[in-house]
Amino acid sequence: MDIVVKGRKTEVPERFRKHVAEKLKLEKIQKLDSKVISLDVEVSKEHNPRQADRSDRVEITLHSRGPVIRAEAAAGDPYAALDLATSKLEARLRKQHDKRYTRRGQGRLSAAEVADAVPGVARLNGNGALATDESSDDIPTTRMGSLEVRGEGPLVVREKVHTAAPMTLDQALYEMELVGHDFYLFVDSETKQPSVVYRRHAYDYGVIHLETDPLAGSEAGGAGGALGG
């Protein structure tokens, strides 16, 4: 397996190249993905003084006979960025490895066992039609926020509330990179509006600001939809 280290509008010192070879442990990576072919490590630098705390960015791309896996991170120096990107890569490799292991049949249920193993699953009668439950009137109803759930599901609602300090757009981008998500919800410190920053293509980002319109009715709809615009 080859490791290719290159710089994007910046020079890559030989010392850093050696550190990459030591940091990316090939035996560990090949154990998680035996079909890996090569690793590309790209280093870039942001020269904006306002982004000094995340001026160095490292992107690791793993090519294999399976799907391409990519991890990137930004920090105040390339070594710290490499550490963050390596941790993300290993976490995604481990997740992909566990997914492949599960698909090999571990823990699979036969069709006859599903009804006993999954609470609230639909049952079929002898003719293959949905079986009716005469005791449906006795099914308990639970309210979860504005939703009404009958029985134990299968609807699962999870509600979380976070206390968030207002932050700048630059801080939100940095936090998004740290958690490795494609979007990040925050309160803009300038506008005081709920906002979402999201990844578009390569190093491009987008931001959505949510503004309350007291004159708009419920029929106006929400701000949902794809983030890729």
Side-chain angles (χ1 to χ4, degrees), residues 90-143:
E90 291 179 354
R92 290 169 188 174
L93 276 173
R94 197 171 295 111
K95 182 178 180 180
Q96 190 73 13
H97 176 269
D98 293 343
K99 186 184 295 184
R100 285 196 301 267
Y101 180 77
T102 302
R103 286 177 177 172
R104 289 173 188 166
Q106 298 294 326
R108 288 186 177 179
L109 299 174
S110 66
E113 297 172 318
V114 172
D116 296 327
V118 182
V121 71
R123 298 173 181 269
L124 301 180
N125 58 25
N127 298 323
L130 285 173
T132 58
D133 188 354
E134 296 178 354
S135 60
S136 59
D137 293 338
D138 299 330
I139 297 177
T141 300
T142 305
R143 292 199 63 84

Side-chain angles (χ1 to χ4, degrees), residues 164-169 172 184-197 207-214 223:
M167 64 178 64
T168 63
L169 177 59
Y184 189 81
L185 176 65
F186 70 104
V187 177
D188 193 298
S189 58
E190 294 183 5
T191 65
K192 302 299 186 288
Q193 296 174 339
S195 305
V196 174
V197 64
V207 61
I208 297 174
H209 298 290
L210 190 62
E211 187 176 78
T212 302
D213 185 355

Side-chain angles (χ1 to χ4, degrees), residues 8 10 17 27 60 67 75 97 104 135 138 144 146-147 164 172 178-179 183 188-189 191 199 219 221 225 227-228:
R8 184 170 178 264
T10 187
R17 294 178 184 273
E27 291 184 359
I60 307 174
H97 176 269
R104 289 173 188 166
S135 60
D138 299 330
M144 304 184 73
S146 59
L147 300 177
L178 283 182
V179 298
F183 67 92
D188 193 298
S189 58
T191 65
R199 190 188 315 280
E219 68 276 3
L227 296 178

Side-chain angles (χ1 to χ4, degrees), residues 29-221:
I29 292 175
Q30 288 176 324
K31 185 177 180 180
L32 293 172
D33 188 346
S34 60
K35 299 180 180 180
V36 62
I37 299 172
S38 64
L39 276 170
D40 291 341
V41 179
E42 183 178 272
V43 184
S44 60
K45 192 170 185 68
E46 172 60 58
H47 298 285
N48 186 347
R50 294 177 57 192
Q51 300 183 8
D53 57 342
R54 56 185 189 90
S55 60
D56 292 276
R57 180 181 297 274
V58 172
E59 180 179 309
I60 307 174
T61 305
L62 183 147
H63 299 276
S64 72
R65 287 189 284 275
V68 173
I69 298 177
R70 182 176 288 107
E72 60 179 318
D77 65 80
Y79 294 91
L82 177 65
D83 289 345
L84 290 171
T86 301
S87 297
K88 291 181 181 179
L89 179 71
E90 291 179 354
R92 290 169 188 174
L93 276 173
R94 197 171 295 111
K95 182 178 180 180
Q96 190 73 13
H97 176 269
D98 293 343
K99 186 184 295 184
R100 285 196 301 267
Y101 180 77
T102 302
R103 286 177 177 172
R104 289 173 188 166
Q106 298 294 326
R108 288 186 177 179
L109 299 174
S110 66
E113 297 172 318
V114 172
D116 296 327
V118 182
V121 71
R123 298 173 181 269
L124 301 180
N125 58 25
N127 298 323
L130 285 173
T132 58
D133 188 354
E134 296 178 354
S135 60
S136 59
D137 293 338
D138 299 330
I139 297 177
T141 300
T142 305
R143 292 199 63 84
M144 304 184 73
S146 59
L147 300 177
E148 188 175 276
V149 182
R150 290 174 59 83
E152 298 181 358
L155 177 64
V156 177
V157 177
R158 182 181 183 185
E159 183 177 0
K160 298 180 70 175
V161 178
H162 294 278
T163 301
M167 64 178 64
T168 63
L169 177 59
D170 289 346
Q171 289 174 313
L173 284 168
Y174 176 63
E175 294 293 335
M176 183 180 72
E177 295 295 344
L178 283 182
V179 298
H181 292 171
D182 291 328
F183 67 92
Y184 189 81
L185 176 65
F186 70 104
V187 177
D188 193 298
S189 58
E190 294 183 5
T191 65
K192 302 299 186 288
Q193 296 174 339
S195 305
V196 174
V197 64
Y198 61 94
R199 190 188 315 280
R200 297 182 73 250
H201 308 288
Y203 296 103
D204 293 337
Y205 301 94
V207 61
I208 297 174
H209 298 290
L210 190 62
E211 187 176 78
T212 302
D213 185 355
L215 300 179
S218 59
E219 68 276 3

